[in-house]
Amino acid sequence: MQITMWVPYDERRLRRTITVVMRPQVRRMRIMGGILLALGVLLIATGGPLELIVMTLVLGVLIGTVIGPLTASRAVRMQSHVIKDGFQMTLTDEWVGVVYPLVESRYRWAGVDSVVETPDAWYMLLGKVQSLTIPKDTMTDEQRAEFAAFLLAEQQRQAGRAFLGHPR
């Protein structure tokens, strides 16, 4: 496989990428917010102190609904100006190469924890807080089909490694 494409900067795409990466943390925040709301209701039922009830309910709503989107917006604003020029992406059987005008990175497929597919893109998750977006709209239909077939074969290859007990 040898796919090369130009990927222009797109703030909406960046925001979606950050949202995908943050999904596990946001789930935990929503659970925590729900617990705080339930605690607030329990305090209301038991006649707890009004200040504690209000604080618990407000924190529950903030943590459950507001903190995630605010964190994503802040992460978008914190990105280096270097990424705003767009980049050249090359996908091969061994590497994903990303070349910005001032920065270059390569990632081996063996280092990818997982790949999440959405209708718009593939998200390569490279740990808990790092990902790389492979947008579908910058590829031809043939390239998308070739890449999807490669991902399926790579997934099966890595599953075979795990089955055989070989380290990844």
Side-chain angles (χ1 to χ4, degrees):
M1 172 184 66
Q2 177 76 30
I3 299 172
T4 301
M5 66 188 129
W6 174 255
V7 181
Y9 175 75
D10 182 347
E11 189 169 311
R12 288 189 326 261
R13 181 182 297 134
L14 175 61
R15 187 175 301 276
R16 284 191 306 268
T17 301
I18 291 169
T19 301
V20 167
V21 171
M22 287 180 49
R23 194 172 287 153
Q25 291 83 4
V26 170
R27 266 192 212 116
R28 285 188 214 110
M29 285 190 281
R30 286 187 178 147
I31 290 169
M32 186 184 305
I35 290 170
L36 285 171
L37 287 174
L39 181 60
V41 169
L42 182 65
L43 286 170
I44 290 171
T46 60
L50 181 62
E51 299 85 11
L52 186 59
I53 292 171
V54 170
M55 182 180 71
T56 305
L57 292 174
V58 168
L59 280 175
V61 169
L62 286 175
I63 290 173
T65 61
V66 177
I67 300 297
L70 283 176
T71 304
S73 292
R74 182 168 167 83
V76 168
R77 286 192 311 270
M78 291 173 56
Q79 296 300 308
S80 170
H81 69 282
V82 170
I83 71 164
K84 294 186 179 180
D85 292 331
F87 59 91
Q88 186 78 23
M89 178 178 277
T90 303
L91 307 169
T92 70
D93 292 338
E94 188 176 352
W95 299 94
V96 174
V98 178
V99 180
Y100 289 93
L102 299 175
V103 179
E104 183 174 344
S105 297
R106 289 191 321 170
Y107 304 90
R108 284 192 188 273
W109 288 106
V112 176
D113 288 342
S114 64
V115 178
V116 175
E117 182 177 7
T118 68
D120 299 323
W122 287 279
Y123 299 97
M124 289 177 32
L125 302 178
L126 306 162
K128 292 185 179 188
V129 295
Q130 186 179 9
S131 75
L132 185 60
T133 303
I134 301 172
K136 292 181 178 180
D137 63 347
T138 58
M139 300 170 107
T140 66
D141 290 339
E142 294 80 21
Q143 288 173 329
R144 283 192 293 273
E146 180 183 10
F147 185 64
F150 168 78
L151 285 177
L152 182 60
E154 182 68 14
Q155 179 184 26
Q156 291 170 346
R157 188 181 68 75
Q158 288 189 9
R161 276 183 161 174
F163 178 75
L164 296 172
H166 295 287
R168 197 168 104 160

